[in-house]
Amino acid sequence: MARFCSKSLCGFRRAVLGLALLAAALPAQQLERVRYNNPGLTVDLGTGLWSWPLPMDYDGDGDLDLVVSSGGKPFAWTYFFENPGGGGKMPVFKAGKKIAEYRPHVQRSPDGSILSPGASFPDFLNSGFAHPKP
């Protein structure tokens, strides 16, 4: 069967689609869209390729933090980027901390649990990917 795109391009398209779906699921007033080629942009996140973003209140302080599961080398881990607050619609996150091993194709469900193909991680905030449920 012929492929319509290379493996890396298809992966990029899936990642963009995933980001778009996550953005659509979040309340519109909490985030502001970052425009392409923004000269005033401060780059403060770095996880490599094939990343799966999971916006959530990971530290329980009431604002959206960013948890990213990244499979690209040398960043094949799951990272927590803390939102220290005060950034409004354009928060500046703290440097990433490794919190768990890499898990591909993770998503955040509407009830807040973390999902991957064939498994759910309802206790992700406490145990990461250590206790999957089928």
Side-chain angles (χ1 to χ4, degrees):
M1 178 193 283
R3 290 183 66 101
F4 293 104
C5 59
S6 68
K7 186 175 180 181
S8 61
L9 182 58
C10 286
F12 175 75
R13 287 181 180 169
R14 281 193 301 269
V16 170
L17 177 61
L19 285 172
L21 291 173
L22 283 171
L26 294 173
Q29 74 275 10
Q30 291 186 3
L31 300 175
E32 181 179 319
R33 183 181 201 156
V34 176
R35 300 280 178 213
Y36 178 74
N37 197 18
N38 182 345
L41 180 66
T42 300
V43 177
D44 51 13
L45 302 176
T47 59
L49 298 174
W50 305 289
S51 297
W52 296 87
L54 304 164
M56 67 176 75
D57 184 11
Y58 185 79
D59 57 5
D61 64 358
D63 55 22
L64 277 178
D65 303 305
L66 190 58
V67 174
V68 180
S69 189
S70 173
K73 292 186 178 185
F75 303 102
W77 288 92
T78 298
Y79 295 90
F80 161 57
F81 294 91
E82 181 183 354
N83 176 357
K89 291 183 178 184
M90 295 292 287
V92 176
F93 294 90
K94 291 184 178 181
K97 297 177 187 174
K98 293 178 186 177
I99 59 169
E101 72 278 358
Y102 166 65
R103 185 83 180 203
H105 310 292
V106 293
Q107 303 288 320
R108 185 170 176 256
S109 72
D111 70 359
S113 63
I114 303 301
L115 307 172
S116 72
S120 171
F121 303 91
D123 192 39
F124 177 80
L125 294 178
N126 297 316
S127 62
F129 298 119
H131 304 292
K133 290 190 176 183

